[in-house]
Amino acid sequence: MVALRERWNELIPGSATLADDLVARYVGRNRRAYRDQYLETVLTTLESLIQLSTDPTSVRLAAWFHRAVHEPGGGPAEDAESSARLVEQTLPSYGIDPIRIAEVARLVRLTGDLAAPPPDSYAPPRRDANGDVLLDAVNSTLATAPARYAAHTSEVRRDAGDRTAAVEHRYDEVRQLLEGHLYRTQLARQRLGPAARANLETELAGLDSELPAPWRGWQQAALAATATFSAIAAAVVSIAAAGASWQIPSVEPESGWPTVLLAVFAFFSAPVLFRCARSDTQRARLISGAVVAVAVTGLLVAWAQVPVTNPALGVGLRVPLVISALLLLLVAGTSALVASLLRTRVARFMPSRNLGQQLAWLAVPGVIALILLLIVQPLARSYVLSSNERVEGSHRPAGSSPDSVLDGNVAWVSRALTGAGAEEAVGTRYGIAIPRQTGVVEMLDAATGELRWRYSRSDSDEKPNIVATANGRFIVAEFADIGYLLLDADTGERKAAWPGRTRDHTIQQGDPLLTGEEVARGSDKLRGVDPDGSDRWTFEPGRCTDIGAVATADTVVAFLGHSCGDEPDEMTGLDLKTGKKLWTKAPSDMYRRPVVVGGLVVVAEPGGDSDVPAALLAIEPRTGETKWRWPVPRNWACRTLLNAAGKLLVVVDCPGPDTRENRQTIVTAIDSDTGQTVWQTTAAVSPRARVTVTADARVVSLARGSDGCWANVIGATGFRQVRLPTGVSCSRDAVAVGNLVLTSGNTSVIALR
């Protein structure tokens, strides 16, 4: 107290009483903060800066008075105002010039807003030498020794009252101080700035650990993580784009260096953007903005160079991948720029990693990975699919399919279909679907042969494999390197694209849909599939197992062959909707050639090494029980063919011997309900001729005669031959769609009347 009293040094002649009163105020018992040590620190620093002021006396008086009035819990603004009034009330009695009194009061009031960021020293809006010196001296408490500073801040928080509120208020106050220059004068910045900033950063770290919210700073951490990992993801996508083509067919040689440069740029941008997101400097913002500008420019260039598709030219996968990489780079640059703008202007302080920041750094890469897998990849595939497809046609109502009476005349001839014929024709509810060699599926009206619609792809020039499903309402078309697409049989519109993982699956049955997956050195898998390609269930019986299956309206019968070990072959029934196993049985030898007829599964019981079975068995699919057994005559010698025709099982074979001279074919129709023979016809037809069976159980084959092409028709009424019109190709197989028989011309499909 004595030392403090000696600092007065007769600032005002005859003012010993005033000095004693001021000292008594700072050492009063009701004070918890801003006591004599605080005032001594301010006065000591003031003497080192006083040469910068224009009115040293006024500045010294303001320093003595600025906290002369202080109530517990009072803030700087209230203290400054009360202390300024004390100046105005006290100093006139000591004969002080009113101008000086006004200056002292003004300076005291300035100390009420210490936490506000000061003007930038490089472009000050005004000069206030006295105010700058006083405020720097008052803020010199920030640069005291760490122990003394900690004691001072503890006193300030204790003086504030409510601890939680005091900590939160002090946290915001310290952050605000760190946002700007701590000192107004260059001399104070040089002498006090480093120590003050270190004290404030230490205090802020302690306050951050005291506050109950564990999430502080997660926003900036998330932005920094987004900037870093988005750039890395952009590099990965760019590398993937380098292996894809920009257009289909690709230009040889197609340059890949732009995507390589993009990958390198994105990869090296990741650490740079990480630093920019953690910095508030102008350079950080310029770098982040430059990355944004590069990404935007790249997007504009890429979009301008997207190929214009036509039937012969398609868009490659590189287009969406490059655009995705540029979008990720744009997100990275924008995130770094926003993080830099949100950071304090000059503070280098980074709060200690709390739970929120740690979770942000863990969550962001996971979110980006999910976005790549669940959004970017599907969108890229969807873009390529939609950009390269086109549907043409009049969408006229479908006509009803006529029945072929096979009288030697033609019902209709389709227009020219290069690379297509009747062999691949698939009947649907809305017409006859024909795949073509150029990546095209066409739907012909069953009544007239006119084109109803055409679905074509620019990115495929191979003939797709097609099957009808959902009772003829849809077509599943398999395009090479694309996978399975679901087409509406009425309009030709694509309704779904099967997931990419199903690309290598094989369709074991089209209606209802069953797919199989061959697994190397493992167990094959059987799946019940919806028309859109989603799995309802998966059946995986075990190691070294191959699977074949057929399905009825509600049951799947799977035939399991074990290729290793001594396990016997099995036959298993599964529920079609759920895949639940219903039954299992182990036949002595694996049954062959399963066919579904009348709701039963008919199989061939092996007859040794011969292709002729010993018998035909009808299996009840829900129970696995044998409903009937039909013994195959021992004199049959050819490969037995089983076909379903409504409720009839049509069996095609030949009476022996199995020689090229044998010209006899025997056709037997068996009632699927009873297993009894309904009719049997033997005809003078080569057993090696390929046959098709109509819905009313007629067996039709083509044969070349000396005077043209003939149709052999074997049915319940016997055998007859019909001479076909000129133009029908006998070298290509006939196909029955219902009761309509289709044949092929050189470049057309011909329906027989």
Side-chain angles (χ1 to χ4, degrees):
M1 179 176 177
V2 174
L4 185 60
R5 175 65 179 78
E6 291 177 353
R7 286 184 177 277
W8 181 261
N9 291 329
E10 296 298 330
L11 279 175
I12 302 174
S15 61
T17 303
L18 175 59
D20 292 339
D21 178 63
L22 289 175
V23 172
R25 287 175 178 273
Y26 282 99
V27 298
R29 292 185 177 181
N30 64 330
R31 286 222 177 192
R32 299 174 183 170
Y34 307 109
R35 295 176 59 81
D36 52 341
Q37 287 186 346
Y38 165 79
L39 181 59
E40 186 174 356
T41 300
V42 173
L43 295 176
T44 300
T45 305
L46 181 63
E47 292 307 315
S48 66
L49 302 174
I50 198 67
Q51 70 270 21
L52 302 177
S53 66
T54 59
D55 187 356
T57 300
S58 296
V59 175
R60 288 189 176 100
L61 287 173
W64 275 90
F65 273 96
H66 83 281
R67 285 283 186 174
V69 179
H70 173 70
E71 295 294 333
E78 293 85 355
D79 289 353
E81 181 60 32
S82 299
S83 298
R85 291 176 183 173
L86 180 64
V87 169
E88 294 168 343
Q89 294 170 3
T90 304
L91 291 185
S93 61
Y94 290 91
I96 306 298
D97 187 275
I99 295 178
R100 174 161 286 172
I101 293 174
E103 175 66 4
V104 173
R106 182 187 74 84
L107 292 174
V108 171
R109 287 188 171 95
L110 286 179
T111 63
D113 195 19
L114 287 174
D120 195 314
S121 62
Y122 297 103
R126 62 182 177 82
R127 301 300 300 181
D128 184 3
N130 294 333
D132 291 348
V133 169
L134 174 64
L135 293 176
D136 283 354
V138 171
N139 273 338
S140 66
T141 56
L142 303 176
T144 55
R148 188 169 181 180
Y149 178 78
H152 170 69
T153 56
S154 178
E155 291 173 354
V156 171
R157 291 200 298 271
R158 185 168 64 252
D159 181 70
D162 183 83
R163 180 180 179 279
T164 302
V167 170
E168 293 177 351
H169 175 75
R170 182 60 182 170
Y171 184 91
D172 296 335
E173 189 177 65
V174 173
R175 288 300 298 265
Q176 191 175 7
L177 283 169
L178 283 170
E179 284 180 358
H181 299 300
L182 297 176
Y183 297 100
R184 275 75 170 172
T185 65
Q186 188 65 30
L187 182 60
R189 290 182 187 179
Q190 293 175 352
R191 293 180 177 178
L192 307 176
R197 191 167 297 279
N199 284 336
L200 286 171
E201 291 177 353
T202 301
E203 181 186 6
L204 192 59
L207 292 172
D208 186 73
S209 64
E210 290 185 42
L211 290 174
W215 307 102
R216 184 173 291 105
W218 72 266
Q219 298 94 332
Q220 284 193 339
L223 287 170
T226 301
T228 304
F229 291 108
S230 292
I232 294 174
V236 173
V237 175
S238 299
I239 293 172
S245 59
W246 185 259
Q247 66 183 36
I248 297 175
S250 60
V251 178
E252 295 294 344
E254 191 171 61
S255 175
W257 63 264
T259 54
V260 174
L261 288 181
L262 179 59
V264 172
F265 179 80
F267 181 78
F268 285 102
S269 295
V272 175
L273 292 177
F274 170 74
R275 294 179 63 87
C276 291
R278 294 165 59 90
S279 174
D280 67 320
T281 62
Q282 192 71 17
R283 177 183 296 178
R285 294 168 189 169
L286 287 175
I287 294 175
S288 302
V291 173
V292 171
V294 169
V296 172
T297 303
L299 282 171
L300 294 176
V301 172
W303 190 257
Q305 294 185 349
V306 172
V308 178
T309 61
N310 56 55
L313 181 66
V315 175
L317 187 58
R318 183 183 293 183
V319 173
L321 289 179
V322 167
I323 292 176
S324 299
L326 290 169
L327 286 174
L328 286 168
L329 193 61
L330 177 62
V331 170
T334 303
S335 299
L337 181 61
V338 172
S340 180
L341 292 172
L342 290 180
R343 286 191 58 78
T344 58
R345 287 196 293 271
V346 296
R348 294 170 297 177
F349 171 74
M350 279 295 295
S352 58
R353 290 287 175 85
N354 56 28
L355 180 62
Q357 296 176 44
Q358 293 172 353
L359 288 179
W361 276 97
L362 290 174
V364 166
V367 170
I368 292 176
L370 289 176
I371 289 174
L372 290 177
L373 293 175
L374 302 181
I375 297 179
V376 173
Q377 185 179 16
L379 284 179
R381 184 168 183 251
S382 177
Y383 173 79
V384 172
L385 285 174
S386 59
S387 298
N388 291 319
E389 68 182 354
R390 55 188 49 80
V391 180
E392 309 165 73
S394 60
H395 300 299
R396 63 168 63 91
S400 58
S401 176
D403 293 342
S404 295
V405 297
L406 298 176
D407 59 2
N409 294 313
V410 172
W412 50 260
V413 179
S414 72
R415 62 176 187 80
L417 297 172
T418 305
E423 300 96 324
E424 298 92 357
V426 173
T428 72
R429 183 183 295 185
Y430 304 103
I432 299 168
I434 305 288
R436 294 183 57 187
Q437 192 66 42
T438 54
V440 174
V441 178
E442 294 188 348
M443 181 64 69
L444 305 182
D445 190 293
T448 63
E450 296 293 327
L451 178 69
R452 295 195 63 240
W453 54 258
R454 177 192 297 109
Y455 177 88
S456 60
R457 298 204 58 83
S458 304
D459 52 0
S460 176
D461 57 1
E462 297 185 11
K463 182 182 294 186
N465 298 317
I466 63 173
V467 296
T469 190
N471 197 24
R473 293 187 295 113
F474 299 110
I475 295 171
V476 178
E478 181 187 13
F479 289 85
D481 298 327
I482 298 171
Y484 293 100
L485 305 181
L486 183 72
L487 307 180
D488 189 309
D490 186 24
T491 64
E493 298 290 337
R494 177 171 55 86
K495 293 299 182 181
W498 283 22
R501 57 183 169 77
T502 64
R503 182 172 297 177
D504 296 328
H505 294 186
T506 58
I507 295 180
Q508 296 214 1
Q509 184 168 313
D511 198 5
L513 266 171
L514 295 177
T515 65
E517 178 185 3
E518 294 185 1
V519 180
R521 298 183 180 179
S523 169
D524 289 357
K525 299 177 182 179
L526 179 69
R527 289 183 170 90
V529 183
D530 291 329
D532 62 0
S534 57
D535 296 340
R536 293 194 308 276
W537 50 263
T538 300
F539 176 64
E540 186 175 3
R543 291 186 66 253
C544 303
T545 305
D546 57 83
I547 307 175
V550 294
T552 64
D554 58 1
T555 308
V556 177
V557 177
F559 302 88
L560 314 179
H562 300 287
S563 57
C564 59
D566 297 328
E567 296 183 52
D569 295 338
E570 296 177 320
M571 184 168 57
T572 299
L574 307 172
D575 185 83
L576 180 65
K577 292 184 178 180
T578 65
K580 180 181 178 181
K581 185 181 291 188
L582 303 176
W583 52 266
T584 297
K585 61 191 306 184
S588 58
D589 198 356
M590 179 58 69
Y591 295 140
R592 305 174 186 173
R593 307 167 209 167
V595 61
V596 177
V597 54
L600 300 175
V601 176
V602 178
V603 295
E605 181 181 300
D609 296 333
S610 172
D611 283 336
V612 180
L616 303 179
L617 303 180
I619 299 172
E620 170 58 50
R622 297 300 291 182
T623 64
E625 299 297 327
T626 300
K627 186 173 182 180
W628 50 259
R629 183 177 187 274
W630 191 86
V632 174
R634 295 194 175 189
N635 66 326
W636 286 9
C638 297
R639 178 177 175 82
T640 306
L641 302 178
L642 307 181
N643 295 272
K647 288 282 189 176
L648 296 179
L649 173 67
V650 178
V651 184
V652 181
D653 209 311
C654 71
D658 182 16
T659 61
R660 299 190 68 83
E661 291 76 18
N662 189 346
R663 305 293 297 176
Q664 296 292 313
T665 294
I666 186 168
V667 177
T668 305
I670 302 172
D671 189 323
S672 61
D673 289 333
T674 63
Q676 300 298 315
T677 300
V678 177
W679 55 263
Q680 189 174 73
T681 301
T682 301
V685 176
S686 172
R688 283 166 292 280
R690 294 183 178 273
V691 301
T692 185
V693 180
T694 63
D696 57 4
R698 289 174 293 167
V699 177
V700 180
S701 63
L702 302 183
R704 185 181 301 277
S706 59
D707 55 350
C709 188
W710 293 75
N712 301 313
V713 184
I714 307 173
T717 58
F719 165 66
R720 63 190 177 96
Q721 287 187 308
V722 180
R723 190 174 187 280
L724 299 180
T726 303
V728 175
S729 174
C730 271
S731 61
R732 305 177 71 174
D733 299 336
V735 172
V737 177
N739 285 321
L740 179 64
V741 178
L742 303 177
T743 58
S744 301
N746 291 330
T747 59
S748 61
V749 174
I750 302 172
L752 301 179
R753 192 174 65 184

